[in-house]
Amino acid sequence: VGAARRPRGGGVCGAATMTERPVVVHFFGTYLPASEVWVHRQLTALQRYEPLVLARRLERVAEFLLPRPPVAEGRGWRGRAGRRVLGVAPRQLAAARTAGARLVHAHFGPVGRRAMALARRLRVPLVVSFYGRDLFAHPRGTTGLRRAYRQLFRCAALLLVEGPAAAARLVELGAPPERVRVHRLGLDPAAYPFRPRRRAPDEPLRVLLACRFTAKKGLPYAFVALARVAAEGLPLAIEVVGDAGADPAERRLAERLRTFVAQRGLTPHVRWLGFQSAAGLRAAMDRAHVLLHPSVRTPVDGEGGHPVVLTEAAACGLGLIATDHGDIPQLVVPGESGWLCPERDVTALVTALRQAATEPERLAAYGVGARRRVEHLYDLRRATWDPVYDAVLGACSSTATALS
């Protein structure tokens, strides 16, 4: 797929039918779960390319409009038979061909494996983005992932990750280093008004936790630290944005957390807000002083860069309390943009919470530093996927010209 070949319809690395902006297929498992709404921001920021979303399942599409309507796989025996024969749903293949797709961009490693058939049928390059669990989760661990991704690494023109730690992990799994590229997931800082955080002496420390209830988010360590701080007499107001999904492990974790909160007397201090819209999350950030996000590596999961909510909170000026996990240190720099604690170190989390509550100048300075890092490294106006596609299609065109 990554090699340059002349398409049947003429032109280099594309089909005969073209639109004003070249079309890139974005291939998903589900579009768009509540924990991945940041994807829409990346798609709508594209300047020179038009996205066409293909997914097995569609969710919430009315909330996240795109220039072209997303296309699901479809149901029925015709669709299943077509997938077995073609390796891709016929209606999706037809939609991509009609749009004149020039490139396929798959999101998450396992989806990239499924997207190989589509890219091969279209005779276009394949780009794959890795985001976290796809770098760690396999019944046979690293050995299993190496085998699972072997063909994908040979076929993909480019493999995208969010930071150097994720890049090193991908190379460890067998990816060719020359095809691995760091591309940070950005946001428009102008859409996130900055406000310095200062806690008044008679005000509780307003702590925000915002994540899906998965093990890698380190929520048990966060609540143990909060319970210790509350036991010391520090007034707290804790808001939790997020919840468990359908996964039984997530539901068990949610039950454990609520039981712990009740047993430790934290119930009056905690508001469980569940999953929120972008506006709801923004409102919670506006109320908070700090975002507490102590991610941890588990045997089957880890952050594929750093959580996008950290970037959003940093842009708004919140104090960031996080762990030295994955690529979080790219954003949270000790002494500059937040408190960076070792994974699973509750004592370090307690110290950070105390300092956020009792050292207002430090809290304000970290908020300023975090905003600066967002403007420097995560400004979506300068970090869209456009140059990635330019590079892939440019290389494809050059190779095709040399072979002609």
Side-chain angles (χ1 to χ4, degrees):
V1 174
R5 293 177 288 186
R6 288 190 180 281
R8 295 188 180 102
V12 176
C13 292
T17 304
M18 298 298 296
T19 59
E20 185 175 345
R21 287 195 299 166
V23 171
V24 172
V25 167
H26 289 265
F27 207 63
F28 292 90
T30 300
Y31 183 90
L32 188 66
S35 58
E36 296 171 17
V37 295
W38 44 266
V39 170
H40 183 258
R41 184 164 59 217
Q42 312 302 312
L43 294 175
T44 55
L46 287 167
Q47 299 163 2
R48 297 186 296 278
Y49 296 87
E50 187 169 309
L52 169 62
V53 167
L54 308 181
R56 279 191 166 178
R57 281 194 321 170
L58 298 178
E59 296 179 359
R60 301 148 55 92
V61 292
E63 300 176 50
F64 301 99
L65 298 178
L66 294 168
R68 293 172 177 269
V71 180
E73 279 191 349
R75 298 178 181 178
W77 67 268
R78 286 188 179 89
R80 292 193 296 272
R83 284 195 297 273
R84 283 196 296 269
V85 174
L86 301 174
V88 60
R91 66 183 298 188
Q92 293 185 327
L93 179 60
R97 282 178 170 163
T98 300
R102 299 283 302 278
L103 184 147
V104 174
H105 186 169
H107 298 270
F108 296 93
V111 178
R113 295 176 63 197
R114 297 201 303 271
M116 288 190 294
L118 175 63
R120 189 177 299 113
R121 293 282 175 182
L122 296 174
R123 300 176 68 84
V124 300
L126 172 64
V127 173
V128 185
S129 286
F130 291 79
Y131 295 109
R133 184 175 175 80
D134 49 1
L135 295 171
F136 301 100
H138 195 279
R140 297 185 179 179
T142 296
T143 300
L145 284 172
R146 284 177 179 152
R147 291 177 180 171
Y149 290 148
R150 189 174 297 156
Q151 185 180 3
L152 178 62
F153 291 159
R154 287 198 303 265
C155 293
L158 204 61
L159 306 163
L160 301 182
V161 291
E162 299 173 55
R169 173 61 177 169
L170 203 57
V171 172
E172 180 188 354
L173 295 177
E178 67 275 10
R179 294 194 202 172
V180 177
R181 175 167 173 173
V182 171
H183 185 87
R184 296 179 174 91
L185 297 175
L187 52 77
D188 180 359
Y192 290 81
F194 173 82
R195 180 173 64 82
R197 307 298 155 138
R198 294 185 181 278
R199 172 182 171 256
D202 58 345
E203 185 182 14
L205 180 67
R206 301 189 179 277
V207 181
L208 174 64
L209 294 89
C211 61
R212 191 181 184 96
F213 288 8
T214 59
K216 71 178 177 182
K217 299 302 181 180
L219 289 171
Y221 304 98
F223 276 103
V224 170
L226 289 166
R228 289 190 187 178
V229 171
E232 295 173 359
L234 179 68
L236 296 173
I238 305 160
E239 291 194 329
V240 184
V241 171
D243 206 336
D247 189 310
E250 294 181 17
R251 294 184 178 277
R252 288 193 296 271
L253 176 58
E255 185 177 348
R256 283 173 49 209
L257 293 174
R258 288 182 168 86
T259 299
F260 179 86
V261 165
Q263 291 175 342
R264 298 297 289 268
L266 286 175
T267 300
H269 309 287
V270 178
R271 293 181 65 205
W272 305 93
L273 302 180
F275 289 117
Q276 293 285 310
S277 65
L281 175 59
R282 193 82 57 85
M285 287 182 178
D286 193 52
R287 295 188 293 268
H289 296 117
V290 298
L291 176 76
L292 178 58
H293 206 295
S295 298
V296 298
R297 169 76 183 272
T298 77
V300 296
D301 207 355
E303 304 288 2
H306 74 254
V308 174
V309 70
L310 280 171
T311 317
E312 296 172 339
C316 294
L318 270 74
L320 305 178
I321 302 177
T323 51
D324 55 356
H325 170 84
D327 285 302
I328 291 174
Q330 296 290 300
L331 175 63
V332 185
V333 180
E336 177 186 334
S337 58
W339 290 267
L340 196 65
C341 307
E343 290 186 34
R344 298 178 170 83
D345 190 334
V346 172
T347 299
L349 295 175
V350 168
T351 299
L353 288 164
R354 279 200 211 106
Q355 291 179 350
T358 60
E359 301 181 29
E361 297 304 320
R362 186 198 292 256
L363 176 64
Y366 282 176
V368 172
R371 172 73 181 206
R372 285 176 179 162
R373 289 196 71 79
V374 169
E375 292 174 343
H376 177 59
L377 294 175
Y378 302 95
D379 189 337
L380 185 55
R381 295 169 295 186
R382 300 192 302 269
T384 68
W385 283 318
D386 294 272
V388 173
Y389 304 153
D390 289 343
V392 171
L393 292 173
C396 183
S397 178
S398 298
T399 305
T401 300
L403 292 175
S404 62

